[in-house]
């Protein structure tokens, strides 16, 4: 019986480049699991997405190693292909929210062993206009941080990089007036932050989204934070986001399978921590059980 073909897409810069010292061991694990392995080192942004679109039909499995942005590119590429194959993930980034949500080990060798297993998980994927995301689409304060912070600074400082950059923005919090439509409801309000998520943690912090989170229930968790008018309201928002209080009139929190957000001014978005463009109208839909991911 011929070996199954596996494409291993590696972001060599992600997470201080630690993957480089483990490459031989990881490839050995893949070969011993019965795969014929082709390695592709990403050369630039969107390279992982483009190689996935081009090659997915030729492989039985694609495994990627990098941060959530690398996984996002592979998933986005797979969503644009006719022939889908299972995706394995070896986390190597500074945050790795989605790997944590899937229960994938942060240890690269153990994650590599998981990536070649036959335990597949049919996962919901986000459709964002003509794009796709794995676990979070967001706008507002702290979201520009992740793509404005250089890769090197992310590597050196980790979460501190996000916090440092975010603190700089607190002096002049941007806000966006939006109409929000979901499940027959219409909201019209001004927001400093919003996120549509399919993850048990965001930004490396767990518990921001209350309740039981399922990654394949056909719905997203939505959090929309209103613009505070004074320090008391700002403190209430921070208390809610950090879990000190369970409810706040400053925050809309709900689940939905589809949401449309419209604004007069263009709003910059991030998709899985990477810049997702500026938009005046965004339709986000849950593609239920769209792709198979390899899990522990």
């Amino acid at each position: 019986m011929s070996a199954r073909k596996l494409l291993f897409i590696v972001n060599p810069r992600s997470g201080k480049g630690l993957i480089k010292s483990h490459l031989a061991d990881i490839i050995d694990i893949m070969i011993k699991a019965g795969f014929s392995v082709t390695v592709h080192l990403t050369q630039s942004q969107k390279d992982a997405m483009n190689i996935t679109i081009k090659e997915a039909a030729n492989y039985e499995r694609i495994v990627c190693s990098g941060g959530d942005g690398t996984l996002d590119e592979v998933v986005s590429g797979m969503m644009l292909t006719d022939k889908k194959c299972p995706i394995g993930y070896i986390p190597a980034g500074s945050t790795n929210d989605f790997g944590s949500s899937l229960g994938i080990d942060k240890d690269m060798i153990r994650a590599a062993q998981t990536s070649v297993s036959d335990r597949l998980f049919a996962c919901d994927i986000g459709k964002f206009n003509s794009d796709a995301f794995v676990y979070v689409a967001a706008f507002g304060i702290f979201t520009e941080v992740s793509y404005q912070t250089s890769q090197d600074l992310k590597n050196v400082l980790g979460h501190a990089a996000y916090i440092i950059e975010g603190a700089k923005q607190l002096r002049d919090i941007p806000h966006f007036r939006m109409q929000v439509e979901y499940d027959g409801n219409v909201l019209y309000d001004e927001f400093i932050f919003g996120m549509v998520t399919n993850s048990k943690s965001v930004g490396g912090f767990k518990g921001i989204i209350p309740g039981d989170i399922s990654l394949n229930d056909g719905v997203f968790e939505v959090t929309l934070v209103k613009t505070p008018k004074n320090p008391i309201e700002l403190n209430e928002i921070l208390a809610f986001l950090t879990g000190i209080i369970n409810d706040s009139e400053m925050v809309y929190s709900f689940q939905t399978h589809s949401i449309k957000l419209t604004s007069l001014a263009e709003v910059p978005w991030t998709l899985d921590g990477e810049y997702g463009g500026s938009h005046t109208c965004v339709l986000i839909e849950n593609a239920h059980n769209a792709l198979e991911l390899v899990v522990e």
Side-chain angles (χ1 to χ4, degrees), residues 102-124:
L102 289 171
I104 295 173
D105 204 297
K106 290 181 179 178
D107 179 87
M108 288 185 186
I109 298 302
R110 287 197 285 270
Q113 291 165 342
T114 297
S115 76
V116 293
S117 80
D118 291 319
R119 291 182 294 277
L120 304 181
F121 175 75
C123 188
D124 295 347

Side-chain angles (χ1 to χ4, degrees), residues 42-102:
T42 58
Q43 303 297 306
S44 59
Q45 197 170 19
K46 300 295 184 186
D47 190 25
M49 182 177 79
N50 293 332
I51 198 74
T52 300
I53 293 170
K54 181 181 176 184
E55 297 290 348
N58 300 320
Y59 289 87
E60 279 76 46
R61 181 162 303 184
I62 290 181
V63 176
C64 63
S65 181
D68 287 333
T70 304
L71 177 63
D72 173 83
E73 285 196 24
V74 171
V75 165
S76 295
M78 193 70 74
M79 288 293 286
L80 295 172
T81 63
D82 292 327
K83 180 181 177 289
K84 309 283 193 283
C85 69
I87 298 170
Y89 182 36
I90 302 173
S94 54
T95 303
N96 303 316
D97 281 311
F98 200 68
S100 174
S101 291
L102 289 171

Side-chain angles (χ1 to χ4, degrees), residues 184-200:
N185 300 297
V186 180
L187 305 175
Y188 189 67
D189 217 323
E190 196 174 87
F191 305 104
I192 59 167
F193 174 73
M195 63 180 181
V196 180
T197 61
N198 192 40
S199 176
K200 294 177 182 176

Side-chain angles (χ1 to χ4, degrees), residues 119-272:
R119 291 182 294 277
L120 304 181
F121 175 75
C123 188
D124 295 347
I125 300 296
K127 296 169 71 176
F128 179 95
N129 289 348
S130 59
D131 212 331
F133 65 94
V134 186
Y135 76 99
V136 60
F139 69 87
I141 189 170
F142 296 120
T143 59
E144 291 182 17
V145 168
S146 58
Y147 58 81
Q148 287 182 349
T149 306
S150 73
Q151 183 67 50
D152 291 331
L153 184 60
K154 281 189 200 177
N155 290 343
V156 172
L157 297 174
H159 294 311
Y162 295 83
I163 295 164
I164 289 167
E165 291 293 322
K168 290 177 186 175
Q169 294 182 22
L170 280 173
R171 288 176 302 200
D172 182 25
I173 301 174
H175 47 84
F176 308 95
R177 184 161 287 282
M178 288 183 165
Q179 179 174 292
V180 181
E181 301 166 69
Y182 70 98
D183 299 343
N185 300 297
V186 180
L187 305 175
Y188 189 67
D189 217 323
E190 196 174 87
F191 305 104
I192 59 167
F193 174 73
M195 63 180 181
V196 180
T197 61
N198 192 40
S199 176
K200 294 177 182 176
S201 74
V202 176
F205 301 101
K206 296 183 179 179
I208 292 177
I209 307 119
D212 293 327
I213 308 300
S214 172
L215 307 184
N216 63 347
D217 57 3
V219 294
F220 293 123
E221 286 67 44
V222 179
T223 304
L224 298 169
V225 179
K226 293 159 66 172
T227 304
K229 298 180 180 64
N230 53 59
I232 294 172
E233 290 183 346
L234 178 60
N235 283 337
E236 182 179 321
I237 290 166
L238 293 173
F240 176 82
L241 294 178
T242 53
I244 295 171
I245 60 174
N246 296 323
D247 192 30
S248 169
E249 291 187 358
M250 296 301 297
V251 181
Y252 297 100
S253 186
F254 54 88
Q255 291 180 312
T256 184
H257 66 90
S258 175
I259 183 170
K260 183 179 180 182
L261 303 100
T262 310
S263 56
L264 288 176
E266 287 197 337
V267 177
W269 284 78
T270 65
L271 304 178
D272 298 329

